[in-house]
Amino acid sequence: MISKEYGKYTLICDICGADSDEEYETFQDAADAGADIEWKRKKIDGGWVDVCPDCIE
Ligand SMILES: [Zn+2]
């Protein structure tokens, strides 16, 4: 998921709960950055989930 905390967006893996250790100004920045660091966004049961590289298999 992309979570908003303290006015910043963070990437959190929906499988293991790890975060990306980065904060982003906008939702779109977080989504773009996730793609750059090889996180995957995928749609499961109509909702988007974010998956860290360790959990992509
Ligand atoms: Zn993970």
Side-chain angles (χ1 to χ4, degrees):
M1 74 194 83
I2 294 175
S3 164
K4 190 177 186 189
E5 287 179 26
Y6 308 110
K8 304 277 189 179
Y9 293 84
T10 56
L11 276 168
I12 298 175
C13 177
D14 286 284
I15 295 177
C16 72
D19 65 44
S20 65
D21 293 328
E22 296 280 346
E23 293 178 329
Y24 309 101
E25 296 296 324
T26 68
F27 186 95
Q28 191 60 50
D29 282 351
D32 290 347
D36 287 346
I37 59 173
E38 300 188 344
W39 284 50
K40 297 279 185 233
R41 305 208 83 208
K42 49 187 185 179
K43 206 168 200 181
I44 296 179
D45 294 336
W48 287 96
V49 301
D50 292 279
V51 182
C52 77
D54 289 342
C55 294
I56 297 167
E57 277 300 275

